[in-house]
Amino acid sequence: MDTSVTKGAPLLGILGGTFDPIHLGHLRLAEEAFDGLGLDRLHFVPSAVPPHRPPPVLPAAERFALVEAALAGRDGFMADARELDRAGTSYTIDTVLQVAEEFPEHHRVLILGMDAFNGLTRWHRWQELFCHTHLAVATRPGAQAVGEAASLLAERAIAPDELALRSAGGIVPLSITRLDISATAIRAARADGRSIRYLVPEAVRRALTPTH
Ligand code: ATP
């Protein structure tokens, strides 16, 4: 009889977004996902040309540099430039397939806030995602799963310890500290000349607004 304990695959988290700019809501989501899901590494992937929203305000190179500054010194968190290096619209399915090829021994976990998850069924080739990655969906102030997204969550919900044992297709609901911080509000504050201190990491604030 085989008595060996199956530990399963290491887990690689993917956190996509415009990061326009990166803020403490993103970082707290990442931190709690890393610990709560038992991730081995977490890639922050700024999108170059997001398909479902207006173009970002900050240039791509600056958004990426701010992500790098925010992650400095946090082992396991990586700034991943693959969408900036790719031509054309930034589709998550392409990112997941690339990551899968590069890290074949890992299971992937795509991390989303609830607002982003509610738009999932409008994404390019979204059904295919479930063949190549798990999802972790985090609570976000003011956002609850609705419509098709709510049904998907009910059908595919798994516990965190199943992520390493099943290759793809599960959704882990992730209850995280609710921080009502958004890049939209940060952009508005900057435009009005109001302080963004304590909404973004200090390194990001300094790089963005030396006067506040
Ligand atoms: P914007 O206000 O410009 O729409 P955003 O603050 O929502 O930006 P994004 O870069 O679009 O930031 O978000 C990337 C991912 O992080 C998404 O999955 C989003 O749901 C999640 N996220 C962003 N802010 C928070 C937050 N405060 N709490 C939980 N998840 C968040």
Side-chain angles (χ1 to χ4, degrees):
M1 189 173 66
D2 179 9
T3 54
S4 62
V5 178
T6 311
K7 270 191 68 197
L11 301 176
L12 185 156
I14 300 171
L15 177 58
T18 41
F19 302 113
D20 187 25
I22 189 166
H23 56 68
L24 293 179
H26 297 128
L27 289 160
R28 195 62 215 172
L29 164 64
E31 188 71 15
E32 295 191 25
F34 195 87
D35 288 346
L37 305 176
L39 302 183
D40 175 49
R41 52 195 295 144
L42 202 170
H43 291 220
F44 288 64
V45 188
S47 103
V49 186
H52 300 294
R53 54 181 296 155
V57 174
L58 294 171
E62 188 176 350
R63 290 183 289 114
F64 185 75
L66 293 170
V67 170
E68 281 187 310
L71 306 188
R74 195 344 179 155
D75 282 350
F77 284 10
M78 338 268 161
D80 183 329
R82 71 187 61 244
E83 293 191 358
L84 308 182
D85 295 341
R86 262 193 339 247
T89 309
S90 305
Y91 292 120
T92 301
I93 184 65
D94 296 332
T95 296
V96 166
L97 290 172
Q98 268 190 353
V99 169
E101 208 173 296
E102 224 170 283
F103 296 91
E105 74 286 7
H106 284 72
H107 291 176
R108 274 78 48 199
V109 187
L110 184 65
I111 299 161
L112 298 172
M114 191 59 85
D115 58 316
F117 178 65
N118 277 331
L120 179 80
T121 58
R122 293 191 296 275
W123 291 12
H124 182 58
R125 293 161 58 192
W126 66 271
Q127 289 99 333
E128 275 179 63
L129 287 171
F130 291 110
C131 304
H132 305 285
T133 186
H134 295 291
L135 264 59
V137 180
T139 48
R140 190 165 180 190
Q144 296 213 319
V146 290
E148 241 183 310
S151 316
L152 274 174
L153 193 54
E155 283 159 22
R156 292 182 173 272
I158 60 169
D161 55 7
E162 291 179 73
L163 293 169
L165 304 176
R166 296 162 58 163
S167 61
I171 304 179
V172 176
L174 197 59
S175 177
I176 64 162
T177 306
R178 295 163 73 91
L179 292 176
D180 196 357
I181 302 174
S182 70
T184 302
I186 290 167
R187 291 193 300 274
R190 290 188 72 218
D192 294 350
R194 285 179 283 117
S195 166
I196 60 166
R197 194 188 289 264
Y198 311 131
L199 296 175
V200 299
E202 194 54 11
V204 169
R205 187 186 71 88
R206 284 175 189 277
L208 271 169
T209 50
T211 52
H212 278 291

